[in-house]
C-alpha cells in the first residue's frame, strides 16, 4: 500500500510511520518542512511541501496513493488564549477541508485514494458524567466538541468522490515520549500526580500501540467507516490513572490538584482535564479489532518497563 501521511513527525505519526515501514508499505509525507521530515524519518519515499491553511496539497502528492492518514492539528495542551483556540480550530478544520479538496481533485484526475483515516478526538462528546458513550452518541457542548464536529465535517467531504472516510476519535494516548503521560509523569515523580479536581471523572485512555493498530486496521478493512472510538475497552477514573501511574513509577500520587487551581493555572484547557467521558470502542470491537492493551496497570508497566 502507498500511504500519504500528514503529521508524520508528530507523536502518533512517528509510531505509525515505523509500523507502516515494518509491514512494507510505501510512505509519502505532506509537511511544511520536507527537509526536516526526511531527516527525522529516512524511510519516507517522497515528501511534498504543504501549508494546510493555504490550500489543497499539490496534485503530484496523490500519484499512486492508496490511502491517506491525516494527523495534523495544533496541540490542545497549554493555556487556551484566543489565538491558541483559533489555531486549534483552523489547523484542524481548514487543514482537513483542504486535504479533502485535494483528494476530490485527485479523484477527478482518476487517482482517488481509496480511504482517508482522519484524526478526531473523544473530546467530541464533551462532559457527560457517567453516561456510556459509543460512536452514535451526540456531540457535547464544549469548545473542543465544536472543533471536532467541524473537523469531522470537513474531512467527510472526501467521501463525495467515493473515498471511504474513517473518523478516529482518539482518547488520551499513553506513550513514553508523548501524549498525556509526559506532563503527568513529571508531576508524579515530584509527588504531585494526585487527583485532578474530584478525580471521579472518566478518562478514555488508550495505549499508543492500539492507536497505531486501529489506524492500520481501518486502512485495511473496507467495512470500517465513519466514527471509530480509539480508546481502551475499560476507561478509568482520573484518580485511578493517577494512583496506578504512581505505583508503576514508585512515587506517591495522593496530592490533589483542586479544580480552581487547575483553572487558575491552565485557564479553559483545565476543563478538558476535569470533563468526564466514559467512552467505549463499540465500533472497533464489533468489527473484530483485538486490543493489545486492555488493562491500565499492564499498559503503564509496558510503557515504563
Amino acid at each position: 500500500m502507498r500511504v500519504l501521511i500528514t503529521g508524520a513527525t508528530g507523536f502518533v505519526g512517528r509510531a505509525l510511520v515505523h509500523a507502516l515501514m515494518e509491514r512494507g508499505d510505501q510512505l509519502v509525507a505532506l509537511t511544511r518542512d520536507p527537509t526536516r521530515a526526511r531527516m527525522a524519518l529516512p524511510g519516507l519515499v517522497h515528501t511534498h511541501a504543504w501549508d494546510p491553511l493555504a490550500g489543497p496539497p499539490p496534485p503530484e502528492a496523490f500519484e499512486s496513493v492508496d490511502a491517506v492518514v491525516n494527523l495534523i492539528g495544533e496541540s490542545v495542551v497549554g493555556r487556551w488564549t484566543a489565538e491558541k483556540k483559533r489555531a486549534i480550530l483552523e489547523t484542524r478544520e481548514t487543514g482537513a477541508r483542504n486535504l479533502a479538496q485535494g483528494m476530490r481533485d485527485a479523484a477527478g484526475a482518476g487517482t482517488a485514494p481509496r480511504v482517508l483515516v482522519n484524526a478526531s478526538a473523544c473530546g467530541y462528546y464533551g462532559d457527560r458524567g457517567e453516561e456510556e458513550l459509543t460512536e452514535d452518541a451526540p456531540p457535547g457542548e464544549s469548545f473542543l466538541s465544536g472543533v471536532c464536529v467541524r473537523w469531522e465535517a470537513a474531512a467527510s467531504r472526501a467521501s463525495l468522490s467515493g473515498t471511504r472516510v474513517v473518523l478516529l476519535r482518539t482518547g488520551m494516548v499513553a506513550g513514553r515520549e508523548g501524549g498525556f503521560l509526559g506532563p503527568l509523569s513529571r508531576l508524579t515523580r515530584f509527588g504531585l500526580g494526585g487527583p485532578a479536581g474530584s478525580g471521579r471523572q472518566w478518562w478514555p485512555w488508550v495505549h499508543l500501540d492500539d492507536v497505531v493498530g486501529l489506524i492500520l486496521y481501518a486502512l485495511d478493512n473496507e467495512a470500517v467507516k465513519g466514527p471509530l472510538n480509539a480508546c481502551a475497552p475499560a476507561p478509568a477514573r482520573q484518580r485511578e490513572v493517577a494512583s496506578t501511574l504512581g505505583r508503576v513509577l514508585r512515587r506517591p500520587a495522593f496530592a490533589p490538584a483542586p479544580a480552581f487551581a487547575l483553572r487558575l493555572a491552565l485557564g479553559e484547557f483545565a476543563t478538558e482535564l476535569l470533563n468526564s467521558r466514559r467512552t467505549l470502542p463499540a465500533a472497533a470491537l464489533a468489527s473484530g479489532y483485538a486490543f493489545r492493551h486492555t488493562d491500565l496497570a499492564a499498559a503503564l508497566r509496558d510503557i515504563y518497563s
Side-chain angles (χ1 to χ4, degrees):
M1 187 179 289
R2 189 177 177 93
V3 183
L4 177 69
I5 305 176
T6 73
T9 58
F11 170 49
V12 173
R14 293 193 307 272
L16 176 62
V17 165
H18 179 73
L20 289 167
M21 288 173 58
E22 275 197 333
R23 70 180 206 167
D25 292 320
Q26 292 186 336
L27 308 180
V28 182
L30 290 174
T31 174
R32 292 178 185 271
D33 189 341
T35 300
R36 175 176 173 269
R38 285 192 295 269
M39 291 178 63
L41 302 166
L44 293 173
V45 175
H46 293 293
T47 57
H48 297 273
W50 179 49
D51 179 352
L53 302 183
E60 59 270 21
F62 294 101
E63 291 179 3
S64 302
V65 165
D66 301 295
V68 178
V69 180
N70 181 31
L71 300 174
I72 56 172
E74 170 77 15
S75 172
V76 300
V77 178
R79 179 174 283 276
W80 284 359
T81 63
E83 182 179 354
K84 175 81 168 177
K85 291 173 71 173
R86 183 167 56 252
I88 288 171
L89 174 60
E90 286 185 352
T91 53
R92 287 165 171 78
E93 181 183 28
T94 305
R97 183 173 62 243
N98 285 334
L99 182 63
Q101 183 60 55
M103 295 175 68
R104 293 174 66 191
D105 293 345
T111 58
R114 298 194 303 268
V115 57
L116 165 65
V117 177
N118 194 87
S120 184
C122 287
Y124 174 93
Y125 302 107
D127 185 14
R128 305 293 277 271
E130 297 295 309
E131 182 182 355
E132 291 189 343
L133 302 166
T134 59
E135 286 84 356
D136 58 357
E141 299 179 354
S142 69
F143 164 72
L144 197 55
S145 299
V147 169
C148 289
V149 168
R150 294 171 65 170
W151 191 8
E152 293 184 3
S156 294
R157 293 181 64 82
S159 66
L160 298 175
S161 55
T163 296
R164 176 170 59 93
V165 177
V166 180
L167 304 167
L168 196 75
R169 293 177 181 164
T170 307
M172 304 181 77
V173 184
R176 188 155 193 165
E177 297 181 1
F180 79 96
L181 284 183
L184 187 56
S185 64
R186 288 192 291 273
L187 289 171
T188 301
R189 293 182 193 280
F190 285 102
L192 301 173
S198 71
R200 288 185 50 80
Q201 64 271 31
W202 291 98
W203 274 14
W205 68 275
V206 60
H207 194 293
L208 178 60
D209 288 348
D210 279 313
V211 176
V212 172
L214 280 163
I215 294 173
L216 299 180
Y217 188 76
L219 291 177
D220 295 342
N221 288 271
E222 294 289 334
V224 178
K225 61 181 179 180
L228 187 68
N229 287 343
C231 54
R237 296 190 189 272
Q238 190 276 331
R239 64 188 179 195
E240 180 186 353
V241 176
S243 62
T244 304
L245 181 60
R247 289 195 301 273
V248 169
L249 296 178
R250 295 185 173 86
R251 298 294 299 165
F254 52 81
F260 78 87
L262 288 171
R263 292 191 177 98
L264 185 64
L266 300 174
E268 191 177 351
F269 173 61
T271 302
E272 291 304 311
L273 303 179
L274 299 169
N275 280 352
S276 181
R277 288 182 286 266
R278 195 175 184 178
T279 313
L280 302 174
L285 294 174
S287 70
Y289 178 76
F291 281 84
R292 291 181 58 184
H293 303 277
T294 59
D295 178 78
L296 176 63
L300 294 179
R301 285 195 297 270
D302 175 79
I303 291 167
Y304 289 104
S305 62

